[in-house]
């Protein structure tokens, strides 16, 4: 096998799981650190992760392995299998109860279709009548609302009365007396009752739930899996209603396990009602966060060396599995092991380690950067410089370009680059957790331009205060390396002896190499780099205003 064979194979790697076959999903899945055990436990749970961290791959792998074990699996991709999120679900001209009802009916429709398939394949033949009756109850799956109520009542009566006297004096005096009964009285009785406030929505399922429970219980499989992908693709105001349906229809069935893949901070699980109750689910009591791929792929460990070794091993296996699958599909020879791949594909082990760092914990970005670096290598093994240039290109074309639609997020990024990289000569900074939740910051995190690398860290200047540590994307960082404002450390030049920290990642023999221009994390120095977010936000608003 030649290096050129692997470089060509890198161009054939699919970056999105939904585009590959079921066999491909299983063959390229990397099980590490008890990931499979967490995925397959019986609890109803959430798989969190940023875009590209492998949520879809994990769910598809679970779908294939559990189906191979004889379990009944229903996989629903919110963005692909349901109505367009830019259509009826997010159309503000349509009432919330109409949109939520349509969503619930669409999801149950997919489950119902799968039950029909199971019945015709013989596994639910005895339940065909119950499955058919379910259709009659789809109209009872409805979200209703109660708004303003007004009632008025009144009555009115009227009476009138009067008297008069007249006299005429003249040649023939005449006295006259006239009388007229004319009295008036007006009585009004009015009652007005008005109830106003927040519209309260309720979800009704009718007899559908009892039929569903009976049919699933009759299925010969020992477990029913409901896997929901791209949960965060739903509008936030609809998510609690789908969660409510899952809780009421599926959570109470012992043999059902629900898995939901979602992006942190893009989810809404519960909506409180005025009566003290709620619509949705309670995370931690009814639905459990079983896995956070953001933390998993970064591999928090007891020491930097352990973290580096585990992360490098994961990406070695990831690359090898994907390359072998492409080579197999092309009918060529396959790699014997990961060591052979590293020898043929990279100039030295530090190039692979640089790829791990450039990926920032996102497997999809690692595959994309590797394929771009292969093009730059021109038939030769991939070196560190190829990784840097590829990461910069990926940043420009797939991350920074997305901010064109949000000028405020782009302005905030420019301010962070100026305050953190240009002025403090740093790459990471501290930000208060409340500020991390700001929509502009969250967009930069979602687009993988900022990366949360540690939570609950203390600042040296503010004892007792806790911050999140955010790191500017590797691709953004390397663009400034050749300028006068090139960063000299992870978080600035104030901490002495930081260059020695580089040896923890590369080994002491590489400390003086010219390749060491992107410093690694040094949490001891991070405490000095606190971003003044209110000031940064005011500057963004000043530019926009």
């Amino acid at each position: 096998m030649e290096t050129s064979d692997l470089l060509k194979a890198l161009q054939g790697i699919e970056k999105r799981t939904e585009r590959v076959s079921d066999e491909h999903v299983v063959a390229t899945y990397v099980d590490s650190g008890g990931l499979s055990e967490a995925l397959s436990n019986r609890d109803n749970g959430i798989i969190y992760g940023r875009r590209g961290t492998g949520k879809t791959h994990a769910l598809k792998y679970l779908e294939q392995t559990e189906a191979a074990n004889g379990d009944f699996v229903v996989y629903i991709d919110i963005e692909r299998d349901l109505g367009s999120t830019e259509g009826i679900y997010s159309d503000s001209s349509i009432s919330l109860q109409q949109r939520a009802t349509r969503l619930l009916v669409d999801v149950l429709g997919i489950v119902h279709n799968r039950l029909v398939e199971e019945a015709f394949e013989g596994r639910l033949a005895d339940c065909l009548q119950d499955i058919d009756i379910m259709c009659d109850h789809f109209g009872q799956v409805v979200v209703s609302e109660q708004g303003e109520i007004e009632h008025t009542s009144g009555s009115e009566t009227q009476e009138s009365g009067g008297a008069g006297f007249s006299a005429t004096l003249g040649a023939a005096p005449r006295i006259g007396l006239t009388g007229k009964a004319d009295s008036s009285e007006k009585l009004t009785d009015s009652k007005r009752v008005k109830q106003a406030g927040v519209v309260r929505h309720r979800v009704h399922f009718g007899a559908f739930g009892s039929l569903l429970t009976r049919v699933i219980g009759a299925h010969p499989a020992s477990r029913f899996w409901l896997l929901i992908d791209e949960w965060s693709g739903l509008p936030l105001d609809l998510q609690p209603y789908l969660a409510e349906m899952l809780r009421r229809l599926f959570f109470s069935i012992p043999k059902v396990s629900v898995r939901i893949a979602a992006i942190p901070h893009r989810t809404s699980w519960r909506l409180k009602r005025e009566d003290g109750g709620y619509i949705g689910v309670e995370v931690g009591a009814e639905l459990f966060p079983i896995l956070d791929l953001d933390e998993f792929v970064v591999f928090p460990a007891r020491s930097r060396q352990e973290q580096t070794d585990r992360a490098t091993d994961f990406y070695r296996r990831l690359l090898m599995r994907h390359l072998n699958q492409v080579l197999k599909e092309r009918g060529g020879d396959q790699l014997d092991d990961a060591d052979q791949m590293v020898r043929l594909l990279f100039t030295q082990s530090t190039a692979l380690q640089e790829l791990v760092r450039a990926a920032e914990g996102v497997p999809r970005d690692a595959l994309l950067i590797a394929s771009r670096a292969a093009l730059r290598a021109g038939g030769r093994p991939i070196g560190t410089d190829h990784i840097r240039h590829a990461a910069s290109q990926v940043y420009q074309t797939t991350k920074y370009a997305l901010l064109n639609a949000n000028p405020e997020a782009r302005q905030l990024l420019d301010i962070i680059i100026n305050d953190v990289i240009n002025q403090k000569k740093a790459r990471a900074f501290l930000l208060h957790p409340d500020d991390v939740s700001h929509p502009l910051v969250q967009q930069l995190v979602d687009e993988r331009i900022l990366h949360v690398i540690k939570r609950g860290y203390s600042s040296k200047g503010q004892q007792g205060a806790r911050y999140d540590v955010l790191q500017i994307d590797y691709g953004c960082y390397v663009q400034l390396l050749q300028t006068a404002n090139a960063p000299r450390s992870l978080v600035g030049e104030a901490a002495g002896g930081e260059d020695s920290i580089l040896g923890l990642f590369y080994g002491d023999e590489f400390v003086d190499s010219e390749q060491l221009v992107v410093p690694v994390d040094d949490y001891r120095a991070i405490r000095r780099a606190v971003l003044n977010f209110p000031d940064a936000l005011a500057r963004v608003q000043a530019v926009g205003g």
Side-chain angles (χ1 to χ4, degrees):
M1 183 178 297
E2 301 294 334
T3 295
S4 58
D5 297 329
L6 297 184
L7 295 175
K8 293 176 182 178
L10 277 174
Q11 307 311 312
I13 294 177
E14 283 283 0
K15 312 305 186 298
R16 299 195 64 88
T17 303
E18 59 266 26
R19 291 174 49 87
V20 300
S21 65
D22 296 338
E23 177 188 357
H24 191 118
V25 169
V26 176
T28 56
Y29 182 77
V30 178
D31 183 20
S32 180
L35 180 58
S36 293
E37 288 74 12
L39 284 174
S40 59
N41 72 53
R42 298 172 63 92
D43 292 329
N44 298 308
I46 312 167
I47 301 173
Y48 281 123
R50 292 167 294 163
R51 294 181 179 92
T53 52
K55 300 184 300 297
T56 297
H57 202 153
L59 281 187
K60 297 292 287 185
Y61 175 81
L62 182 63
E63 176 191 20
Q64 296 305 312
T65 54
E66 297 303 327
N69 292 332
D71 287 347
F72 179 32
V73 185
V74 176
Y75 176 89
I76 300 176
D77 186 321
I78 293 291
E79 295 186 339
R80 185 182 62 183
D81 299 333
L82 300 181
S84 171
T85 56
E86 288 77 28
I88 187 171
Y89 297 149
S90 59
D91 189 346
S92 60
S93 66
I94 303 175
S95 66
L96 175 62
Q97 69 268 24
Q98 289 179 334
R99 292 186 289 124
T101 298
R102 176 62 180 270
L103 171 63
L104 303 185
V105 171
D106 286 348
V107 171
L108 289 180
I110 294 176
V111 175
H112 181 263
N113 289 339
R114 287 286 289 111
L115 293 174
V116 171
E117 294 173 2
E118 292 292 298
F120 280 108
E121 291 177 4
R123 288 183 285 273
L124 284 174
D126 296 338
C127 297
L128 190 57
Q129 184 176 1
D130 285 340
I131 296 173
D132 183 57
I133 296 175
M134 283 183 183
C135 295
D136 299 333
H137 295 290
F138 267 76
Q140 297 183 27
V141 178
V142 60
V143 176
S144 62
E145 70 175 2
Q146 180 180 351
E148 183 177 285
I149 301 174
E150 181 173 336
H151 172 71
T152 60
S153 63
S155 63
E156 181 176 312
T157 62
Q158 180 172 333
E159 298 179 0
S160 63
F165 172 82
S166 65
T168 303
L169 300 178
R174 185 173 63 180
I175 298 176
L177 180 64
T178 62
K180 180 182 179 182
D182 186 14
S183 64
S184 178
E185 181 181 2
K186 185 176 183 180
L187 302 174
T188 301
D189 177 22
S190 179
K191 182 180 181 180
R192 186 169 183 262
V193 179
K194 182 177 181 181
Q195 176 183 339
V198 179
V199 174
R200 294 185 296 176
H201 293 88
R202 301 183 185 278
V203 186
H204 303 277
F205 295 105
F208 191 93
S210 59
L211 288 170
L212 181 66
T213 300
R214 186 158 63 241
V215 170
I216 290 179
H219 197 287
S222 61
R223 181 139 297 273
F224 171 80
W225 293 90
L226 180 59
L227 312 180
I228 301 179
D229 199 6
E230 304 294 349
W231 176 275
S232 300
L234 285 173
L236 286 173
D237 58 349
L238 296 189
Q239 293 180 19
Y241 294 93
L242 181 54
E244 171 79 3
M245 185 193 75
L246 296 176
R247 177 174 66 89
R248 293 180 59 179
L249 293 184
F250 294 96
F251 285 12
S252 59
I253 304 177
K255 69 187 299 183
V256 171
S257 291
V258 177
R259 287 288 179 276
I260 300 173
I263 299 173
H265 307 290
R266 297 295 185 189
T267 58
S268 177
W269 299 109
R270 189 172 65 170
L271 176 66
K272 290 186 177 180
R273 297 200 309 247
E274 287 185 325
D275 59 5
Y278 64 88
I279 290 176
V281 298
E282 185 175 352
V283 175
E286 299 163 322
L287 186 66
F288 302 93
I290 62 172
L291 193 61
D292 188 339
L293 292 178
D294 283 335
E295 294 183 358
F296 183 82
V297 295
V298 176
F299 298 107
R302 292 169 296 182
S303 67
R304 187 184 305 276
Q305 189 60 51
E306 180 181 347
Q307 180 174 335
T308 300
D309 292 342
R310 291 171 60 184
T312 303
D313 179 67
F314 174 84
Y315 283 100
R316 277 160 45 101
R317 294 163 61 189
L318 178 75
L319 276 175
M320 187 190 73
R321 285 178 176 268
H322 278 277
L323 287 171
N324 272 344
Q325 184 63 24
V326 174
L327 293 171
K328 177 182 177 181
E329 293 171 355
R330 294 179 177 180
D333 296 333
Q334 298 181 43
L335 293 163
D336 296 327
D337 53 46
D339 290 336
Q340 180 189 16
M341 178 201 69
V342 174
R343 289 195 304 270
L344 292 173
L345 193 58
F346 298 99
T347 56
Q348 53 188 343
S349 61
T350 53
L352 172 61
Q353 293 167 351
E354 199 74 10
L355 173 63
V356 174
R357 300 175 63 207
E360 300 282 12
V362 182
R364 185 187 300 163
D365 285 351
L367 297 176
L368 186 56
I369 293 171
S371 64
R372 295 286 181 90
L375 291 176
R376 289 184 169 273
R380 298 170 298 170
I382 297 172
T384 302
D385 287 341
H386 302 136
I387 297 295
R388 292 201 197 105
H389 288 296
S392 176
Q393 185 182 28
V394 168
Y395 167 77
Q396 280 288 345
T397 58
T398 68
K399 299 180 182 181
Y400 188 70
L402 296 176
L403 298 182
N404 290 334
N406 191 337
E408 289 187 340
R410 191 167 188 165
Q411 291 162 9
L412 177 60
L413 175 63
D414 291 341
I415 290 172
I416 293 174
I417 290 175
N418 179 72
D419 291 2
V420 175
I421 293 184
N422 293 350
Q423 295 185 14
K424 297 181 180 179
K425 309 300 182 185
R427 183 184 172 204
F429 58 95
L430 299 181
L431 197 59
H432 192 277
D434 292 342
D435 297 330
V436 175
S437 300
H438 191 279
L440 293 180
V441 178
Q442 280 306 307
Q443 180 172 0
L444 296 178
V445 173
D446 288 345
E447 302 300 348
R448 307 172 328 275
I449 296 174
L450 294 181
H451 307 276
V452 180
I453 62 174
K454 194 174 183 65
R455 298 189 185 276
Y457 204 70
S458 61
S459 168
K460 184 175 182 180
Q462 301 182 39
Q463 296 296 328
R466 292 291 174 176
Y467 296 88
D468 290 345
V469 182
L470 281 79
Q471 182 169 273
I472 296 172
D473 184 70
Y474 179 101
C476 170
Y477 188 85
V478 296
Q479 289 185 316
L480 302 174
L481 292 177
Q482 302 303 319
T483 70
N485 292 320
R488 299 182 187 134
S489 68
L490 179 72
V491 289
E493 53 189 344
E498 287 183 11
D499 289 341
S500 63
I501 303 299
L502 300 175
L504 293 176
F505 192 92
Y506 290 101
D508 293 337
E509 65 272 23
F510 298 109
V511 168
D512 296 327
S513 171
E514 293 182 356
Q515 295 179 353
L516 298 183
V517 292
V518 182
V520 298
D521 308 348
D522 182 9
Y523 294 117
R524 294 172 298 180
I526 286 176
R527 297 180 180 182
R528 299 176 175 86
V530 179
L531 179 69
N532 187 339
F533 185 75
D535 175 70
L537 190 60
R539 289 153 63 188
V540 169
Q541 295 170 346
V543 173

